[in-house]
């Protein structure tokens, strides 16, 4: 807890004292104790809701029409950014903002766009919101104009034409709003969809494991949301949340509250997107108190070379994990839960100036959850189930995970000192990158087209985790230093690298005190200077200016 | 900040008192406590957050409660009969009647 938040907490206690005069009392109890990193089991306590069978809503899946319907991206001519009503909670219509496409006489909401490398996507975005917006194609290599950021944002009632070729590897990309200052609200109100690029390697894997999109190959979009007492989506930021990021009261998977999914005893592929504004998750699959092994097969930029066996993986906002879960390893028919395991969210890290140690530790283990958890909100780092997987009887399944999945492009070799970026805050409520805040008229960093560079992303210890997203180019992680113990415990390779660091990324979660060295290759086919964004994908951080423009000079 | 606002609201409302509690689920809620005076009945609308069949309580994020001068907040209330909980689900929108006998709050009807 930093000094500012401690003051706020004390203020709350003072308020409690005042209430106490009228008979009230504030009482805090500890959140779930964080389990040790790398443990083989999960909390022995039944997950909230599990014992009561409260996961009663069937998981929404991409269908032929409606929400998440899968459609070839090249067949979409227009996406209308719309305000409509949608039952996020069963039977309770709520204001909801969606990307609406009409294809083949069907109306699709936040469609799952399908493409192959080389496909041409030409579509018009029509803005029917009451505020400006723009669609960003997250993870794709595009020129500045088609990348879609606040520089091109489109006023209410206006439209914008995209025309680009899919140049990237097969992977799970996504599209979401990227206007200046208001991306958090727009994403929160519903604007997000997947863009799945498939190629021959993908199809080979699908054949090997007999996978079908929407049946045994399941996209999972994880988001946290809060609702009014009438069951309507509610985006109200407390002062703390403006600074720390939004945390909701419910975790939705594919916009389904408390979801379940009926599964056969076989291998499933889950394409997981953390579509939350700010929340991180430590994902594991648990049956009773036992964590199951699963395989990480892909990241933001597509398939890994080989599957990585894991039991838990962190995922920050905007990141994607592609995993295989073999339900043949589950015992009996007890349900399996996709869970977020307990972790220290490190939201209030500060440094004791005398000892140089984290202040929370110096203060005898102050609860880092305390100041950020608004009433009703689930504190970040809380152990919780996300999805119940019911195991049903099924025909025999004898497929096995291939040992080789893909070949990654060779790592770009660079020499010399890395370009350094420090993530921190200015003590005045602003998150910064090298002390800079976003200014649309400035591009404080210039790189040369075709250059290979190493960037060092250094998060101050007095900070919080930042999911750093770089537009325009995918990158590889070379090294992690100063990682917190809960991250180091999951490292599987030299240089502190995590299993997901074996893949191509467009977003990397950098923890307080951690330095992450990444390799970038600024080669692209676009002539002329191109300006891209480099920012924290905690959307409230982005909205208050934790973003810079960088120029790729032709 | 929300905690501060919540506690301030409780102090201002004066409709009995409350506990803000960080539950094991990591959530903060408010528990109904013995009020100060007078038998009253109120009606409210809300969204169920949590059901405790063993304790016979239901936690509701509710709007203003008419008749009890209670502001919108999230509170846990006992129900008159535990059987009333059987038909309830988390995230269900409910209308409920709340009685206040001068000592305790009690949900007498919920659907």
């Amino acid at each position: 807890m930093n000094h500012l938040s401690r003051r706020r907490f004390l203020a709350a206690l003072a308020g409690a004292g005042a209430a106490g005069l009228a008979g009230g009392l504030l009482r805090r109890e500890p959140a779930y104790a964080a389990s040790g990193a790398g443990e083989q089991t999960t909390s022995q306590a039944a997950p909230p809701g599990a014992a009561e069978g409260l996961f009663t809503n069937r998981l929404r899946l991409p269908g032929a029409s409606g929400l998440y319907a899968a459609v070839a991206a090249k067949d979409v001519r227009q996406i209308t950014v719309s305000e409509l009503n949608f039952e996020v909670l069963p039977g309770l219509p709520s204001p909801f903002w969606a990307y609406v496409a009409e294809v083949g006489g069907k109306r699709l909401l936040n469609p799952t766009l399908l493409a192959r490398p080389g496909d041409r996507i030409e579509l018009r975005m029509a803005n029917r919101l009451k505020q400006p917006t723009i669609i960003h194609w997250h993870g794709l290599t595009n020129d500045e104009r088609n990348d879609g950021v606040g520089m091109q944002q489109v006023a209410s009632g206006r439209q914008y034409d995209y025309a680009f070729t899919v140049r990237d590897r097969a992977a799970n990309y996504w599209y979401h709003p990227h206007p200046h200052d208001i991306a958090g609200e727009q994403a929160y109100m519903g604007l997000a969809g997947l863009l799945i690029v498939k190629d021959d390697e993908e199809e080979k894997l699908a054949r090997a494991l007999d996978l079908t999109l929407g049946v045994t190959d399941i996209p999972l979009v994880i988001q946290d949301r809060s609702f009014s007492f009438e069951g309507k989506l509610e985006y109200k930021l407390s002062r703390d949340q403006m600074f720390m990021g939004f945390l909701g009261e419910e975790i939705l998977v594919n916009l389904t509250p408390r979801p379940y999914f009926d599964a056969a005893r076989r291998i499933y592929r889950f394409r997981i997107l953390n579509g939350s504004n700010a929340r991180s998750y430590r994902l594991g699959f648990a049956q009773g108190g036992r964590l199951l092994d699963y395989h990480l097969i892909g990241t933001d930029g597509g398939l890994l070379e080989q599957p990585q066996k894991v039991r838990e993986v962190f995922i920050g906002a905007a990141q994607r994990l592609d995993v295989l879960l073999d339900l043949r390893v589950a015992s009996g028919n007890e349900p399996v839960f996709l869970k977020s395991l307990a972790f220290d969210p490190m939201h209030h890290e500060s440094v004791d100036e005398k000892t140089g140690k984290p202040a929370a530790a110096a203060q005898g283990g102050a609860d880092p959850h305390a100041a950020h958890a608004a009433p009703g909100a689930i504190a970040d780092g809380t152990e919780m189930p996300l999805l119940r997987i019911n195991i049903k009887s099924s025909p025999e399944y004898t497929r096995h995970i291939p040992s080789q999945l893909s070949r990654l492009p060779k790592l770009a070799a660079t020499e010399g000192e890395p370009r350094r970026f420090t993530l921190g805050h200015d003590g005045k409520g602003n998150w910064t990158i090298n002390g800079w805040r976003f200014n649309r008229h400035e591009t404080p960093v210039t790189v040369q087209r075709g250059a290979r560079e190493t960037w060092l992303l250094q998060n101050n210890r007095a900070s919080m985790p930042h999911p750093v997203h770089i537009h325009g180019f995918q990158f590889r992680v070379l090294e992690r230093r100063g990682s917190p113990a809960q991250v180091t415990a999951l490292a599987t390779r030299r240089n502190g690298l995590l299993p997901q660091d074996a893949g191509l990324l467009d977003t990397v979660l950098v923890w307080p005190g951690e330095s992450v060295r990444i390799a970038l290759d600024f080669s692209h086919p676009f002539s002329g200077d191109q300006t891209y964004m480099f920012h924290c994908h905690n959307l409230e951080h982005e909205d208050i200016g934790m973003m810079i423009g960088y120029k790729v000079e032709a | 900040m929300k905690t501060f606002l919540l506690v301030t609201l409780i102090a201002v409302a004066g409709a009995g008192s409350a506990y803000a509690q960080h539950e094991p689920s990591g959530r903060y809620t408010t528990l109904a406590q013995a009020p100060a005076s007078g038998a009253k009945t109120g009606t409210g609308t809300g969204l169920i957050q949590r059901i405790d069949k063993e304790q016979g309580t239901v936690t509701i994020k509710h709007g203003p409660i008419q008749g009890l001068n209670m502001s919108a907040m999230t509170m846990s209330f006992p129900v008159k009969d535990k059987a009333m909980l059987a038909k309830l689900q988390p995230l269900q929108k409910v209308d409920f009647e709340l009685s206040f006998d001068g000592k305790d709050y009690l949900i007498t009807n919920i659907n």
Side-chain angles (χ1 to χ4, degrees):
Chain A
M1 190 183 302
N2 63 23
H3 292 145
L4 184 62
S5 57
R6 174 166 290 273
R7 278 202 302 277
R8 288 180 187 156
F9 181 57
L10 291 173
L13 283 177
L21 296 174
L25 181 66
L26 180 75
R27 189 178 69 193
R28 287 182 56 248
E29 293 178 358
Y32 275 120
S35 59
E39 280 184 352
Q40 303 299 301
T41 60
T42 180
S43 165
Q44 292 305 304
E52 300 158 86
L54 297 179
F55 283 69
T56 53
N57 299 304
R58 185 183 295 274
L59 179 71
R60 299 182 206 261
L61 294 170
S65 62
L67 186 70
Y68 299 136
V71 62
K74 59 187 179 186
D75 291 341
V76 177
R77 290 286 167 262
Q78 177 164 314
I79 287 179
T80 305
V81 192
S82 307
E83 296 184 19
L84 39 85
N85 277 303
F86 184 77
E87 292 184 8
V88 180
L89 300 182
L92 300 177
S94 168
F96 184 78
W97 300 357
Y99 294 122
V100 180
E102 307 269 351
V103 179
K106 293 176 178 172
R107 187 166 184 255
L108 320 177
L109 305 183
N110 294 345
T112 301
L113 302 178
L114 305 177
R116 289 185 65 88
D119 276 2
R120 187 81 181 153
I121 295 178
E122 295 182 357
L123 59 83
R124 171 165 292 175
M125 183 201 79
N127 180 13
R128 299 285 179 267
L129 302 181
K130 297 180 183 69
Q131 54 185 258
T133 193
I134 190 75
I135 294 174
H136 169 54
W137 305 96
H138 187 119
L140 289 186
T141 299
N142 267 326
D143 62 349
E144 174 184 333
R145 192 191 175 286
N146 284 292
D147 188 44
V149 295
M151 315 298 266
Q152 294 93 26
Q153 67 188 29
V154 175
S156 174
R158 306 297 290 270
Q159 54 202 32
Y160 190 80
D161 291 335
Y162 292 92
F164 59 87
T165 301
V166 176
R167 304 170 193 277
D168 298 282
R169 296 178 79 225
N172 303 316
Y173 304 104
W174 64 302
Y175 57 103
H176 61 78
H178 210 301
H180 288 315
D181 307 332
I182 48 177
E185 180 187 20
Q186 293 191 4
Y188 182 89
M189 290 304 295
L191 296 172
L194 288 169
L195 193 166
I196 298 177
V197 177
K198 295 187 173 191
D199 64 4
D200 293 345
E201 285 179 336
E202 280 271 327
E203 285 170 4
K204 184 178 168 190
L205 178 65
R207 282 195 303 274
L209 297 178
D210 186 26
L211 298 172
T212 305
L213 185 66
V215 181
T216 50
D217 177 346
I218 313 282
L220 298 177
V221 181
I222 304 173
Q223 297 165 309
D224 57 337
R225 294 291 184 264
S226 291
F227 298 91
S228 72
F229 72 90
E230 295 175 301
K232 296 177 178 172
L233 280 173
E234 194 170 61
Y235 183 67
K236 288 183 180 174
L237 294 176
S238 66
R239 195 173 153 197
D240 266 345
Q241 288 189 326
M242 286 179 198
F243 183 62
M244 311 298 284
F246 174 86
L247 292 177
E249 299 172 357
E250 289 289 331
I251 312 295
L252 311 180
V253 182
N254 294 353
L255 287 167
T256 317
R258 318 243 177 154
Y260 76 88
F261 168 67
D262 290 335
R265 196 175 291 279
R266 54 160 293 152
I267 292 172
Y268 282 85
R269 179 178 186 173
F270 295 114
R271 302 172 187 259
I272 302 172
L273 160 66
N274 180 357
S276 306
N277 280 29
R279 186 184 292 274
S280 298
Y281 303 88
R282 180 180 170 192
L283 296 179
F285 292 92
Q287 188 179 37
R290 182 170 73 105
L291 283 177
L292 305 180
D293 287 337
Y294 62 103
H295 285 85
L296 180 70
I297 59 165
T299 55
D300 300 345
L303 290 174
L304 306 179
E305 293 197 338
Q306 291 93 26
Q308 310 271 318
K309 187 188 282 189
V310 295
R311 283 210 173 97
E312 50 190 279
V313 183
F314 281 107
I315 183 169
Q319 292 187 300
R320 284 86 71 209
L321 295 174
D322 210 331
V323 307
L324 295 176
L325 174 67
D326 190 346
L327 285 172
R328 290 173 296 186
V329 304
S331 57
N333 287 331
E334 187 181 354
V336 170
F337 280 87
L338 170 63
K339 296 181 70 173
S340 185
L341 307 170
F343 64 93
D344 180 352
M346 303 184 76
H347 281 192
H348 292 286
E349 296 303 294
S350 60
V351 177
D352 186 302
E353 291 179 4
K354 290 180 183 171
T355 64
K357 293 180 179 175
Q363 291 162 6
D367 178 2
H369 302 267
H372 189 196
I378 303 172
D380 206 6
T382 299
E383 179 170 332
M384 57 193 165
L386 308 175
L387 168 69
R388 190 180 72 189
I389 302 171
N390 299 321
I391 303 173
K392 303 292 185 183
S393 59
S394 54
E396 189 182 15
Y397 176 86
T398 57
R399 311 294 179 98
H400 296 284
I401 298 172
S403 58
Q404 187 73 32
L405 300 169
S406 182
R407 292 283 177 202
L408 290 176
K410 279 197 171 181
L411 206 54
T414 59
E415 293 180 355
E417 282 294 300
R419 199 186 286 263
R420 294 170 184 271
F421 295 94
T422 301
L423 315 175
H425 62 77
D426 62 5
K428 301 171 187 170
N430 301 306
W431 293 104
T432 60
I433 299 172
N434 278 358
W436 299 311
R437 294 182 61 214
F438 182 68
N439 181 330
R440 68 175 67 197
H441 304 296
E442 294 177 359
T443 49
V445 175
T446 299
V447 301
Q448 296 302 312
R449 177 184 172 195
R452 292 176 172 179
E453 293 201 6
T454 302
W455 286 13
L456 186 62
L457 310 175
Q458 298 173 293
N459 196 355
N460 283 340
R461 187 170 293 283
S463 187
M464 62 180 288
H466 295 291
V468 173
H469 174 44
I470 300 174
H471 289 222
F473 301 89
Q474 296 175 356
F475 57 84
R476 300 283 295 274
V477 177
L478 301 173
E479 182 183 46
R480 290 176 182 269
R481 284 192 179 178
S483 308
Q486 63 187 0
V487 175
T488 305
L490 302 182
T492 52
R493 295 182 294 140
R494 63 186 175 82
N495 293 334
L497 294 177
L498 302 171
Q500 60 265 49
D501 295 333
L504 280 163
L505 302 180
D506 55 55
T507 308
V508 62
L509 186 60
V510 188
W511 293 83
E514 193 177 35
S515 294
V516 179
R517 200 155 56 88
I518 62 173
L520 292 126
D521 181 345
F522 291 103
S523 300
H524 67 191
F526 312 118
S527 58
D529 295 349
Q530 306 288 332
T531 297
Y532 296 105
M533 296 296 129
F534 163 39
H535 64 92
C536 178
H537 217 289
N538 176 321
L539 293 180
E540 284 70 38
H541 291 186
E542 177 187 327
D543 282 345
I544 61 173
M546 194 178 187
M547 175 163 69
I548 60 171
Y550 75 96
K551 183 188 293 181
V552 180
E553 213 164 55
Chain B
M1 182 58 75
K2 276 193 176 176
T3 307
F4 178 72
L5 289 174
L6 174 68
V7 171
T8 305
L9 280 172
I10 292 163
V12 171
S17 57
Y19 290 97
Q21 173 180 290
H22 193 179
E23 294 179 355
S25 64
R27 300 162 194 273
Y28 286 82
T29 60
T30 308
L31 297 178
Q33 197 195 20
S37 65
K40 298 177 183 173
T41 302
T43 57
T45 298
L47 201 63
I48 292 182
Q49 304 292 300
R50 188 165 178 268
I51 300 158
D52 188 333
K53 290 181 178 171
E54 206 167 283
Q55 296 293 318
T57 61
V58 57
T59 303
I60 304 174
K61 182 177 196 177
H62 62 77
I65 296 187
Q66 305 299 322
L68 289 180
N69 192 27
M70 188 185 290
S71 305
M73 63 181 79
T74 301
M75 295 186 74
S76 182
F77 300 106
V79 293
K80 187 177 179 181
D81 181 350
K82 288 183 182 178
M84 294 162 68
L85 300 176
K87 61 187 177 183
L88 303 180
Q89 291 281 334
L91 301 178
Q92 178 185 346
K93 185 181 175 187
V94 290
D95 297 317
F96 60 96
E97 293 175 8
L98 187 65
S99 78
F100 172 50
D101 64 3
K103 185 181 176 188
D104 294 311
Y105 289 103
L106 188 68
I107 288 183
T108 54
N109 191 20
I110 185 167
N111 52 54

